[in-house]
């Protein structure tokens, strides 16, 4: 995905402008969709479904690094993995005798953050 980060910036432009800059818009759009689906499927097959991680983390990353997609992809993935790791650590240590999935804890944290952003009109 990092190799296609530059084409993500062109995807924000209109198709005519991106084509005028020499990019094959439909090809890059197909590749981005293909790699996104493959990476999401791979992550879900390994870790299971963990809700809201992909919805909130890009907003946090955009506040940290701004608009460049190359650094946004890296920071967003690091924030998402740090959140899932910390949620798993908290669930396994605080609620020790119980076997609570980490996805429930991350959903609670990120849904409350989502509501907080919604109330502050940050979208």
């Amino acid at each position: 995905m990092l190799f296609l980060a530059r084409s993500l910036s062109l995807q924000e432009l209109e198709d005519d402008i991106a084509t005028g800059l020499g990019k094959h818009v439909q090809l890059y759009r197909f590749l981005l969709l293909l790699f996104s689906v493959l990476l999401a499927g791979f992550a879900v097959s390994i870790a299971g479904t963990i809700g809201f991680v992909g919805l909130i983390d890009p907003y946090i990353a955009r506040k940290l690094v701004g608009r460049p997609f190359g650094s946004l992809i890296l920071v967003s993935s690091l924030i998402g993995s740090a959140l899932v790791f910390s949620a798993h650590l908290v669930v396994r240590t605080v609620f020790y005798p119980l076997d609570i999935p980490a996805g429930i804890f991350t959903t609670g944290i990120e849904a409350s953050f989502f509501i907080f952003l919604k109330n502050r009109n940050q979208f």
Side-chain angles (χ1 to χ4, degrees):
M1 287 302 286
L2 290 176
F3 294 117
L4 295 173
R6 199 169 175 161
S7 69
L8 278 171
S9 299
L10 290 175
Q11 293 290 329
E12 288 185 324
L13 302 173
E14 293 181 16
D15 289 350
D16 296 336
I17 296 171
T19 304
L21 291 172
K23 294 293 180 179
H24 301 283
V25 177
Q26 295 298 329
L27 175 67
Y28 282 109
R29 193 172 289 156
F30 175 75
L31 289 174
L32 286 167
L33 182 63
L34 178 71
F35 286 133
S36 298
V37 169
L38 287 174
L39 288 173
F42 181 71
V44 169
S45 70
I46 297 295
T49 57
I50 299 176
F52 287 103
V53 173
L55 294 176
I56 299 299
D57 296 340
Y59 288 105
I60 298 171
R62 189 166 296 242
K63 292 289 183 184
L64 292 175
V65 297
R67 304 235 2 126
F69 281 107
S71 57
L72 186 65
I73 290 171
L74 276 174
V75 172
S76 180
S77 63
L78 289 174
I79 289 173
S81 61
L83 180 76
V84 171
F85 176 74
S86 61
H88 182 73
L89 187 67
V90 167
V91 166
R92 296 295 178 213
T93 56
V94 173
F95 305 108
Y96 173 63
L98 301 174
D99 189 22
I100 299 173
I104 293 173
F105 192 72
T106 58
T107 301
I109 291 172
E110 296 216 7
S112 60
F113 186 72
F114 186 68
I115 292 170
F116 170 74
L117 285 179
K118 178 72 175 144
N119 288 336
R120 290 192 57 202
N121 294 324
Q122 294 292 320
F123 289 103

